Amino acid sequence: MADALVLSAQSGGVRTITLNRPQALNSFNATMHRQLAAALDDVRQDRGVRCLVLTGAGRGFCAGQDLADPEVAPATAPGAAPTDVGSVIERYYKPLALALRALPVPVIAAVNGVAAGAGASLALGCDLVLAKRSASFIQAFSKIGLIPDAGGTWLLPRLVGRAQALGLAMTGDKLPAERAEQMGLIWKCVDDTEFDTAVAELAARLASMPTQALVATRVVMDESAQLSYAEALSLEGRWQSRLSAAHDYLEGVAAFMAKRPAVFSDR
Ligand code: T3D
């Protein structure tokens, strides 16, 4: 049986997926890509999942592409065709980024340690990023002659603006989690000793909320970046029509009127 490079665990409505190659800071090889794709597909299909937490085993979150993987090793033999990193992006990182963004549940990146290269893009592609104070984000690409990928060039300027995005990407400097929070790159950084509790509380809270509305918020915010103000208002209206026909809207309003906690169940 293949090594379990991706672990999945369920607690209540919360699914936790753990990247599990700690000896290489959870960097991606093809097997880990395939196992993560399968784990995300299971989240998509399993209606018992209402929130996903993505984290890393050991002291790192994810160090991006495994640079020791023969599939991506630069060609050095005389006359050999150059390695095509773009095909690795198309085969693995693009489907991964799209699958993550299309999940029907809110997604938390629980950044337990360094997130570098595509590992940083993976975290930033999640809905909410919660990081340990000791964690850091590194746009490592420029140091090996590449550009931010796995969504990095799209995500970075949208999160922190062009000036900071270019600064981070061109220097490849290590960005401590605390600074990442101050810049608006991530949702929150919390003390290491409080990290596990903070992740569990946030995940349980999101899992108890109206899932469809949370996911629609992601979808509409992402789409509205391409729209005029008037178009964005119309898009909001179309989604409100859809959501207000669902059980969770009836339940939310009924609970408010009855002064009782709501029990949301749509997904
Ligand atoms: O083909 C393609 O390239 C496709 C493109 C993909 C997009 C990318 O992700 S490109 C960026 C790839 N990632 C990097 O360039 C990051 C490389 N890693 C680092 O710069 C450092 O490891 C960190 C700054 C992340 C952490 O530094 P530190 O000092 O805390 O740890 P370390 O000692 O460097 O690493 C610990 C071990 O993990 C070490 O192995 P060892 O010596 O104990 O056997 C190290 O080699 C290994 N490791 C860390 N990152 C990677 C890795 N092994 C393979 N690939 C890695 N990316």
Side-chain angles (χ1 to χ4, degrees):
M1 206 179 101
D3 289 344
L5 303 186
V6 170
L7 308 173
S8 290
Q10 183 86 13
S11 172
V14 178
R15 175 74 54 89
T16 299
I17 292 180
T18 304
L19 305 178
N20 189 36
R21 294 187 73 220
Q23 73 285 2
L25 296 182
N26 305 315
S27 53
F28 275 99
N29 62 14
T31 306
M32 195 167 96
H33 269 295
R34 280 192 288 273
Q35 292 185 9
L36 181 56
L40 293 180
D41 199 46
D42 193 60
V43 169
R44 190 177 59 78
Q45 292 187 53
D46 185 343
R47 298 180 68 84
V49 180
R50 297 181 58 82
C51 178
L52 170 64
V53 174
L54 185 59
T55 193
R59 70 176 178 90
F61 175 73
C62 174
Q65 172 63 38
D66 180 344
L67 298 175
D69 187 345
E71 197 172 354
V72 300
T76 50
T83 302
D84 182 3
V85 168
S87 68
V88 177
I89 302 300
E90 282 296 321
R91 194 174 326 139
Y92 296 120
Y93 289 99
K94 181 178 169 187
L96 167 59
L98 292 176
L100 200 60
R101 208 71 172 184
L103 284 178
V105 296
V107 184
I108 298 170
V111 179
N112 54 301
V114 65
S121 302
L122 179 69
L124 300 179
C126 296
D127 296 324
L128 295 180
V129 184
L130 205 57
K132 273 188 181 171
R133 199 166 298 279
S134 63
S136 56
F137 297 81
I138 307 178
Q139 297 299 319
F141 309 91
S142 61
K143 295 178 180 168
I144 56 168
L146 296 177
I147 60 167
D149 61 23
T153 60
W154 192 92
L155 293 162
L156 281 171
R158 281 171 171 77
L159 289 165
V160 293
R162 184 175 188 272
Q164 298 289 343
L166 281 175
L168 292 172
M170 286 187 174
T171 64
D173 282 350
K174 180 194 271 199
L175 184 73
E178 196 165 338
R179 182 77 190 108
E181 180 191 320
Q182 288 161 359
M183 287 169 66
L185 187 71
I186 64 169
W187 168 238
K188 256 187 184 103
C189 113
V190 294
D191 288 339
D192 290 20
T193 50
E194 291 162 20
F195 181 70
D196 291 348
T197 306
V199 171
E201 282 177 1
L202 181 62
R205 183 171 159 201
L206 293 182
S208 72
M209 292 180 71
T211 309
Q212 286 185 7
L214 302 187
V215 172
T217 303
R218 172 212 299 152
V219 170
V220 175
M221 281 196 181
D222 284 352
E223 247 181 80
S224 67
Q226 324 295 330
L227 302 178
S228 69
Y229 188 47
E231 288 167 337
L233 287 162
S234 299
L235 182 63
E236 288 171 359
R238 288 197 295 281
W239 272 95
Q240 296 298 44
S241 296
R242 193 164 151 179
L243 291 166
S244 55
H247 162 268
D248 279 353
Y249 175 65
L250 300 180
E251 168 61 10
V253 175
F256 175 78
M257 300 307 281
K259 299 187 188 304
R260 64 168 172 81
V263 181
F264 296 112
S265 56
D266 290 338
R267 205 202 92 161

